[in-house]
Amino acid sequence: MKKILVILEQDQEDQYALERAVLMAEKLKARVHVLICCYQELSWINNVFGMMENIHIKEKIIEQKELWWQDYAKPYINTVLISHEIIWSKYFVDSILEHCQTHEYDFYVKRGHRSETLFYTPSDWLLLRKSQIPSYIVVEKERKSADAVLLALDFLASSTEKQQLNKKLLEFARDYADKMAIELHCCFAISPPKVLSDTGFIDPEEYAQKSTALAKETASVLLEPYQIAQQHQHIKIGSSDKVITGIAQKINAGVIIIGSMGKSAMSGKVIGNTCEQVLHISKKDVLVLGL
């Protein structure tokens, strides 16, 4: 891992994202590049003063943001190699995605928000669904000493895509945990289908027992090359989001690593996939990898 991108939104006062990236960069021996998102609607000025005044005000705002950054970065400037740039864009998510297409990063770090509603998709979701690089969402306000990394897997994955995602997650998580010098745990949640159990077609308890046995069998084969100790493999019954976040709390994980198939249709907004459900309730940072 060589380079981490940090995304700072306009008027972001807390330093959690930058702090987290610097701590990781120190252990990963990586560089940090910061994108500072900056924009102010100035169209009204054209009607009063003209285009030249518009340009002058824009330059002044960017200059102020540069001064803000110099003060903001003081605690970290001598820790790791940090570069930065200010991007002026009303649609900063699109600008970030375009930037990532022409630069190489191992993952980006961004402060998480909890402002999502049914008809409003905040920047976190847009980036998660469209980003071609892993997304590290900072949830914890203060970094505490962590004992583990928790990787969420699907031990009953039947499709080729989900199996490929399992492998990608394992390779990334193993490398990340080794370089961070921290234990790697993995987990899988078994949720008996509510519709089937309600109609009496299957017995939830029998389903859970058979699924657990099959998941353990699959896990022993899948995890063997990655040297994940038996006591670090967690298979539990329950909803995925609650199982994952519950285990993360129990083992004092510093971050939850989870996969996403990248839903972008309306069904993804209404129903939400597991990684988004985890982000809704997680008290731990979440690192999301897409296929």
Side-chain angles (χ1 to χ4, degrees):
M1 296 186 181
K2 298 179 180 179
K3 199 170 184 181
I4 300 170
L5 175 66
V6 177
I7 300 169
L8 296 183
E9 295 179 52
Q10 185 163 300
D11 301 324
Q12 184 169 330
E13 294 298 331
D14 66 65
Q15 296 178 306
Y16 307 135
L18 181 59
E19 177 185 294
R20 201 75 86 251
V22 168
L23 287 172
M24 289 187 285
E26 287 181 298
K27 291 191 176 182
L28 297 173
K29 310 251 185 285
R31 293 178 293 153
V32 173
H33 185 68
V34 180
L35 277 186
I36 303 165
C37 303
C38 178
Y39 181 77
Q40 180 66 50
E41 183 60 60
L42 300 175
S43 59
W44 61 273
I45 294 177
N46 293 338
N47 300 326
V48 180
F49 299 105
M51 181 61 74
M52 291 307 296
E53 189 65 21
N54 186 319
I55 293 172
H56 179 68
I57 293 176
K58 175 182 173 181
E59 289 175 347
K60 279 293 184 183
I61 293 173
I62 292 175
E63 182 181 325
Q64 289 174 357
K65 187 58 70 173
E66 178 66 35
L67 292 173
W68 169 86
W69 163 253
Q70 296 302 330
D71 184 62
Y72 189 91
K74 279 180 182 177
Y76 314 103
I77 210 68
N78 295 319
T79 54
V80 297
L81 185 59
I82 303 176
S83 55
H84 77 283
E85 62 184 283
I86 299 171
I87 58 171
W88 180 276
S89 176
K90 182 176 182 179
Y91 306 103
F92 77 89
V93 170
D94 292 336
S95 297
I96 291 167
L97 294 171
E98 290 174 10
H99 176 87
C100 291
Q101 288 178 351
T102 55
H103 298 78
E104 291 187 8
Y105 298 104
D106 293 291
F107 54 90
Y108 75 78
V109 180
K110 183 180 180 297
R111 183 79 166 96
H113 300 293
R114 297 185 186 275
S115 59
E116 62 282 350
T117 65
L118 181 62
F119 298 108
Y120 172 60
T121 302
S123 56
D124 289 352
W125 297 155
L126 287 171
L127 283 169
L128 280 169
R129 289 168 177 160
K130 295 183 179 181
S131 177
Q132 297 300 306
I133 63 173
S135 310
Y136 189 111
I137 305 301
V138 178
V139 177
E140 281 191 305
K141 293 183 178 180
E142 297 179 1
R143 167 53 76 198
K144 300 175 183 178
S145 179
D147 297 320
V149 171
L150 179 62
L151 170 62
L153 294 168
D154 184 355
F155 292 140
L156 297 181
S158 56
S159 69
T160 302
E161 290 80 7
K162 288 186 177 181
Q163 291 170 359
Q164 289 174 344
L165 184 57
N166 271 344
K167 185 176 180 181
K168 182 177 180 179
L169 285 163
L170 277 162
E171 290 175 351
F172 182 95
R174 181 73 275 171
D175 183 50
Y176 179 87
D178 288 345
K179 288 178 178 176
M180 293 294 289
I182 196 168
E183 294 285 356
L184 177 60
H185 289 238
C186 64
C187 69
F188 174 58
I190 297 173
S191 306
K194 190 174 186 306
V195 173
L196 294 179
S197 61
D198 286 348
T199 54
F201 289 140
I202 62 170
D203 176 52
E205 191 171 323
E206 181 183 0
Y207 175 89
Q209 289 176 350
K210 290 183 177 180
S211 296
T212 300
L214 181 58
K216 287 182 177 179
E217 183 180 340
T218 303
S220 65
V221 176
L222 180 65
L223 302 180
E224 185 177 3
Y226 301 95
Q227 299 179 330
I228 299 175
Q230 183 72 40
Q231 64 268 29
H232 293 168
Q233 301 173 23
H234 311 273
I235 299 174
K236 304 289 183 182
I237 308 297
S239 63
S240 297
D241 54 341
K242 292 181 180 178
V243 166
I244 294 168
T245 55
I247 294 172
Q249 287 291 116
K250 183 177 180 180
I251 67 173
N252 189 30
V255 62
I256 298 168
I257 299 179
I258 192 168
S260 171
M261 299 304 290
K263 290 183 180 181
S264 58
M266 179 55 73
S267 61
K269 294 180 183 178
V270 176
I271 301 171
N273 55 28
T274 300
C275 81
E276 292 181 358
Q277 292 166 356
V278 168
L279 276 165
H280 277 294
I281 64 173
S282 178
K283 295 181 180 179
K284 302 290 184 179
D285 294 351
V286 181
L287 202 162
V288 183
L289 275 77
L291 185 59

